[in-house]
Amino acid sequence: MLAPCDRGLHICSSKEKPTLGGTRIKTRKRNIAAPLDPSAFADAVVQIYLDNAGDLEFIAKSLESSDLNFSRYGDTFFEVAFAGGRTQPGTIKPDEGERHPYAVIECEAKRDAILPYVIYIQKILRRRPFLIKNLENVMQKLLQSLELFEENERKKLAIFTALAFSQKLSGLPPETVFQPLLKDNLVAKGIVLSFITDFFKEYLVDNSLEDLISLLKRGKIEDNLLQFFPSTKRSAEGFSEHFTKAGLVPLVEYNEKKIFEEKLKEMKSALTTQIVEESDVSEVIETVKQRVKEAKLPDIEVIRILWDVIMDAVQWSGKNQQQNANSALRQVKTWAKLLNSFCTSGNIELELIYKVQMQCYEDAKLMKLFPEIVRSLYDQDVLAEDTILHWFRKGTNMKGRQSFVKALEPFVKWLEEAEEEE
């Protein structure tokens, strides 16, 4: 008689444990992490630098053919590239281990000397794109530690950073570079201002001001450039003085224009509120005068803003042309005293006519109102006869001019006849 184990296709001994046919027994695997050894990695990279006597092209080829674990030791690799060897955690002080003299920090503080390092790192990143995060880490560490470098070394880092963006180093985000610079202690000592000045000067060698502004916007600092200045120099005047001395006049002009536009915006906002709320005209005039004095706004810009705000506040009534005409003319009459207070010369009056011309040209519901608006401004003593005749005979803005001149002919004829009678 067969034993129980002999009845099936499987013959088992008494020592074997029975198993179910077709079922696998899963064994639990143990995850054994290899110990980290950044010092050995760093020493290996340093040796490659030494073996190739600092020739970056041969170093790149040797690194490519090596079996070094870049995915694990990416930060260490860039420490070796920038500083010549490993650095101590949280600092840029040299750590134990081998070092080489061909690092970015060791070269001359000139673009011709530093550009090859940027190209070299670009090659490394193209082969190993995942290293961009490690480059970010190390650059943040270096920039947060700028005070530990000598002035000449900081300049090298500024040139490298500028060239990195100029060469569009694979995926390096501007925010990663600029934000670490805003540490209070670095800013207070003027270290950041010196660094960013060298950066701007180098970047603008190959790029336009528009490129720089775009880069600053992506770095989220375009509106906060004064934050790079120590508190004692943090003013529009300090900005202009510093960057003018540095030879960065286009940047100064850009900043002044930006400040000017911001002041115009603030004035327009305050004026809009008062006009919409139908404040007393004399009160509005005082507000405008104060804003003009504080912001040093030119009279021509003021009259442009006044006209825009006054007309923007009109309550239009859809397609009813007569009601729209009445609303516009009523608004002109209501705020004529405000316009008159700032039409202090023939040139400003002429600028106001050009503003009326452009608005009537661009806004279909105002197209036929041009002569009526000009007549109303004349009646309210905002526009002088000579200014209107000058525009009629010699106006230089050609948009809609032909039709507007024709529409204004009867009024001009009346002015000319009145002038002759006098």
Side-chain angles (χ1 to χ4, degrees):
M1 186 174 179
L2 293 172
C5 287
D6 294 335
R7 291 173 184 161
L9 294 176
H10 177 65
I11 306 297
C12 66
S13 68
S14 60
K15 295 181 180 180
E16 290 180 307
K17 294 180 180 179
T19 61
L20 297 175
T23 302
R24 292 184 178 179
I25 300 299
K26 294 183 179 179
T27 58
R28 185 176 181 181
K29 294 182 179 179
R30 295 176 60 197
N31 294 321
I32 302 175
L36 292 174
D37 190 8
S39 59
F41 175 89
D43 289 346
V45 175
V46 168
Q47 193 58 50
I48 290 174
Y49 271 83
L50 295 173
D51 290 344
N52 291 281
D55 188 310
L56 296 175
E57 186 172 343
F58 285 117
I59 292 170
K61 289 179 180 178
S62 297
L63 291 171
E64 176 61 27
S65 61
S66 72
D67 58 355
L68 293 172
N69 192 347
F70 286 89
S71 61
R72 175 166 288 194
Y73 303 113
D75 284 15
T76 302
F77 169 71
F78 285 113
E79 288 179 4
V80 173
F82 278 98
R86 290 180 63 207
T87 58
Q88 295 178 16
T91 73
I92 53 95
K93 295 180 180 179
D95 204 347
E96 296 179 357
E98 300 295 328
R99 310 193 73 76
H100 69 86
Y102 309 110
V104 175
I105 292 300
E106 300 296 337
C107 70
E108 288 186 88
K110 297 179 180 178
R111 63 182 286 116
D112 291 343
I114 295 175
L115 182 57
Y117 286 90
V118 177
I119 296 171
Y120 158 70
I121 289 179
Q122 181 74 288
K123 288 180 180 178
I124 300 295
L125 291 175
R126 283 174 182 163
R127 301 280 184 149
R128 296 179 172 87
F130 59 86
L131 286 176
I132 188 65
K133 186 61 182 175
N134 302 106
L135 177 60
E136 288 181 45
N137 295 340
V138 173
M139 288 196 71
Q140 282 183 327
K141 178 180 176 180
L142 295 174
L143 297 179
Q144 287 173 340
S145 306
L146 281 178
E147 63 185 321
L148 302 178
F149 290 98
E150 299 293 332
E151 182 179 351
N152 197 44
E153 293 174 333
R154 291 196 289 268
K155 185 173 183 178
K156 295 172 190 177
L157 288 175
I159 294 173
F160 177 92
T161 306
L163 290 174
F165 285 119
S166 185
Q167 296 292 318
K168 296 178 174 56
L169 199 64
S170 303
L172 185 65
E175 189 175 358
T176 297
V177 173
F178 294 129
Q179 293 303 319
L181 295 174
L182 296 176
K183 289 179 64 176
D184 291 341
N185 63 316
L186 295 179
V187 172
K189 295 177 181 178
I191 291 173
V192 171
L193 182 57
S194 176
F195 177 90
I196 208 72
T197 302
D198 288 333
F199 172 89
F200 288 162
K201 290 170 72 173
E202 188 59 48
Y203 185 82
L204 288 171
V205 171
D206 296 323
N207 301 275
S208 67
L209 180 64
E210 290 73 22
D211 293 329
L212 176 60
I213 300 307
S214 176
L215 182 67
L216 296 175
K217 285 180 179 178
R218 286 187 285 127
K220 300 181 180 179
I221 59 166
E222 187 252 348
D223 293 327
N224 303 306
L225 293 181
L226 280 178
Q227 289 187 27
F228 292 130
F229 282 72
S231 58
T232 54
K233 299 180 180 179
R234 197 171 293 168
S235 65
E237 294 75 17
F239 185 101
S240 297
E241 181 181 353
H242 173 80
F243 285 116
T244 297
K245 285 182 179 178
L248 296 172
V249 175
L251 183 62
V252 172
E253 292 173 346
Y254 167 81
N255 191 61
E256 290 176 346
K257 181 182 178 183
K258 186 176 176 63
I259 292 172
F260 176 74
E261 290 173 349
E262 187 61 32
K263 289 179 178 178
L264 286 182
K265 185 178 178 181
E266 291 173 359
M267 176 179 164
K268 191 170 184 178
S269 176
L271 188 56
T272 297
T273 300
Q274 287 187 301
I275 287 181
V276 169
E277 293 176 352
E278 298 182 350
S279 301
D280 184 75
V281 176
S282 58
E283 181 183 334
V284 178
I285 291 172
E286 286 305 312
T287 298
V288 176
K289 285 182 177 179
Q290 186 62 32
R291 292 270 181 177
V292 170
K293 183 179 179 181
E294 292 173 357
K296 300 178 182 178
L297 299 175
D299 294 337
I300 284 181
E301 288 294 340
V302 174
I303 206 65
R304 289 171 181 166
I305 291 175
L306 290 178
W307 181 257
D308 284 340
V309 172
I310 288 170
M311 297 310 290
D312 287 346
V314 175
Q315 298 296 316
W316 304 110
S317 58
K319 297 181 180 179
N320 191 313
Q321 186 64 27
Q322 188 57 50
Q323 287 185 18
N324 285 333
N326 292 339
S327 297
L329 295 174
R330 191 184 310 115
Q331 188 79 336
V332 171
K333 186 176 180 179
T334 300
W335 297 104
K337 185 178 178 182
L338 173 62
L339 292 168
N340 191 37
S341 297
F342 296 93
C343 278
T344 54
S345 70
N347 285 338
I348 298 175
E349 290 178 21
L350 187 61
E351 183 61 32
L352 177 56
I353 297 181
Y354 285 140
K355 280 295 294 182
V356 175
Q357 176 185 347
M358 285 303 300
Q359 185 163 21
C360 290
Y361 174 77
E362 295 171 351
D363 192 335
K365 61 180 173 288
L366 297 177
M367 182 68 76
K368 296 180 181 179
L369 282 183
F370 179 77
E372 294 182 65
I373 292 175
V374 172
R375 176 64 184 260
S376 179
L377 290 170
Y378 171 80
D379 290 342
Q380 302 298 324
D381 293 326
V382 177
L383 295 178
E385 176 184 328
D386 291 345
T387 305
I388 296 171
L389 292 176
H390 177 87
W391 177 90
F392 184 82
R393 296 164 182 166
K394 301 179 181 180
T396 56
N397 190 325
M398 303 310 294
K399 291 187 176 180
R401 176 172 171 76
Q402 188 173 355
S403 60
F404 291 145
V405 165
K406 187 174 182 179
L408 200 62
E409 276 181 353
F411 177 56
V412 169
K413 186 177 180 181
W414 177 83
L415 287 176
E416 290 173 335
E417 289 174 351
E419 186 178 29
E420 289 175 2
E421 290 177 4
E422 291 178 2

